């Protein structure tokens, strides 16, 4: 975690979360009030409660080549209710299990004694043979008979309260921030198409983990998509489509500024302010 | 109590997520051996009706053969599902209280209808119409101008005594719905049944189609005027005078 004095980084701070006037808002993808003026409240406006201190993440850059990643000239200031949530693994478990349940095909099928092909003729006489009484030849007790209580195609999807899923998103994002595996870039608009250029850039940045690029735009930039399509350790998605499962699965997550704004718009909680006395 | 979670110090990943302790219980599996505790008779005991496969229970309300409580007492009466109406009662004291609180206002031009009563919370459901009843008639001080579906005689008397006005309007199911929803683009149907016509052309009930009501109501639709004419014309016919 970034641990520098607030004074030192004040000039570096990019107010990602508070910047309303963006192309994304103009596109109408967020549905927020399109306030054209950019309001930047003074730092003193932040309450001093430790629960509300914003999270600071240095801004990385995918596009600007030749710029070393470990010397940030900008810092992103993130909403703590989204990116500094307490880690609740049980909530993540619920969300992941819910997601995987929904993926189940549920197509296992067996034939019951009614569905197995065969006649209903009584196999042997009720009495006299000295053996057990039997009806038709498709009874589950017999070899070649139907299956009693076997699987039938069914829907394994479960319901999970909307707010649990939202909490899961907050926890997953906060977990990545806590592990220092959440990167924020200005833009994911990679212009090249060659995979080897992307590999070179990722080597420069030192991002060798499994990485998920999340863009806040409506579609993933085509250059980025083509460059990373053949890399099995890299995946790309949009902020609207990403879920808790993806955030947990991919060890490193790279957001662009619009994606950060999207998540803060959807997930931010307005908390009641406590008194200023600590 | 906070949910107990197994804490892993490593990073969060798909392979180290756990449900919170105590949130998951193993399934009860019947008939799988002695040690499970649910083998052989599988928790049903020995024989008897409850041990049988299928439902094993008699139908609901069965009392072992004794005449059931639902059969002991005779049926009575009938339900008029075609023309029966359930009016939502509202008393004068309640309306007066609402007016004093400022939750309801009325004037001769804008009388209180079922919509205002429902929206202000005086009534929760207008049902087939609103009937004005007379609890609180003696202490009524405020002016109430109201157009319910029905009104009791004592309520009418009390309201008119304190300077208000009551005119009872006919609402069928569709016009009641429109009234409560505030739709004014439909034409409200006139009463068609003889009983309704007789009731709503009667000044005693303050029916809106009575000739005296047409004369006194501040806002009268032209249609009502015509209806009132037509529906009371029989009284002046030769055959009626004999």
């Amino acid at each position: 975690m970034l641990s520098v004095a607030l004074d030192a980084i004040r000039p570096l701070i990019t107010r990602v979360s508070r910047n309303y006037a963006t192309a994304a808002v103009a596109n109408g993808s967020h549905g927020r009030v399109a306030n054209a003026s950019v309001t930047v409240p003074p730092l003193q406006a932040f309450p001093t409660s430790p629960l509300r201190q914003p999270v600071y993440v240095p801004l990385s850059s995918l596009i600007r080549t030749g710029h070393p990643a470990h010397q940030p000239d900008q810092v992103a200031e993130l909403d703590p209710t989204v990116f500094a949530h307490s880690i609740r693994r049980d909530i993540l478990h619920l969300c992941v299990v819910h997601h995987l349940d929904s993926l189940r095909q549920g197509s296992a099928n067996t034939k019951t004694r009614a569905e197995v092909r065969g006649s209903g003729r009584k196999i042997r006489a009720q009495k006299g043979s000295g053996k057990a009484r039997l009806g038709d030849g498709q009874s589950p007790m017999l070899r070649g008979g139907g299956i009693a209580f076997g699987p039938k195609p069914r829907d394994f999807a479960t319901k999970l309260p909307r707010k649990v899923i939202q909490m899961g998103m907050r926890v997953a994002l906060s977990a990545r921030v806590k592990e220092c595996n959440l990167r924020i870039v200005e833009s994911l608009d990679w212009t090249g198409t060659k995979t080897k250029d992307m590999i070179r850039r990722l080597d420069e940045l030192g991002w060798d983990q499994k990485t998920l690029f999340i863009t806040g735009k409506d579609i993933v930039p085509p250059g980025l998509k083509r460059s990373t399509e053949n890399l099995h350790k890299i995946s790309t998605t949009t902020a609207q489509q990403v879920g808790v499962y993806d955030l947990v699965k991919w060890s490193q997550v790279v957001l662009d500024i619009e994606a950060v704004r999207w998540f803060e718009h959807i997930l931010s909680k307005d908390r009641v302010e406590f008194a200023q006395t600590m | 109590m906070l949910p107990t979670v197994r804490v892993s110090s490593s990073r969060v990943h798909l392979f180290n997520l756990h449900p919170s302790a105590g949130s998951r219980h193993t399934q009860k599996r019947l008939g799988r051996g002695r040690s499970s505790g649910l083998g052989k008779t599988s928790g049903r005991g020995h024989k008897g009706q409850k041990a049988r496969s299928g439902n094993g229970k008699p139908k609901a309300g069965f009392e072992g053969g004794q005449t059931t409580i639902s059969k002991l007492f005779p049926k009575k009466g009938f339900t008029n599902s075609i023309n029966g109406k359930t009016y939502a009662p509202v008393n004068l004291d309640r309306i007066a209280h609402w007016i004093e609180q400022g939750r309801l206002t009325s004037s001769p031009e804008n009388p209180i209808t079922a919509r205002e009563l429902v929206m202000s919370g005086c009534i929760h459901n207008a049902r087939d119409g609103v009937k004005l009843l007379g609890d609180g008639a003696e202490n009524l001080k405020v002016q109430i101008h109201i157009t319910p579906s029905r009104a009791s005689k004592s309520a009418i008397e009390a309201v008119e005594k304190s300077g208000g006005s009551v005119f009872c309007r006919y609402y069928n199911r569709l016009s009641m719905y429109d009234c409560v929803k505030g739709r004014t683009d439909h034409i409200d149907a006139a009463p068609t049944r003889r009983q309704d016509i007789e009731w709503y052309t009667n000044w005693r009930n303050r029916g809106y189609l009575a000739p005296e009501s047409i004369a006194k109501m501040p806002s009268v639709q032209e249609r009502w005027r015509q209806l009132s004419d037509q529906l009371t014309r029989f009284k002046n016919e030769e055959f009626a005078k004999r």
Side-chain angles (χ1 to χ4, degrees), chain B residues 54-67:
Chain B
N55 196 4
K57 288 188 281 205
K59 66 177 182 211
F62 187 67
E63 295 179 18
Q66 168 177 284
T67 312

Side-chain angles (χ1 to χ4, degrees), chain B residues 136-152:
Chain B
E138 314 82 36
N139 306 323
L140 189 66
K141 292 180 189 62
V142 296
Q143 266 194 22
I144 301 176
H145 301 275
I146 188 170
T147 50
S149 290
R150 300 240 163 169
S152 71

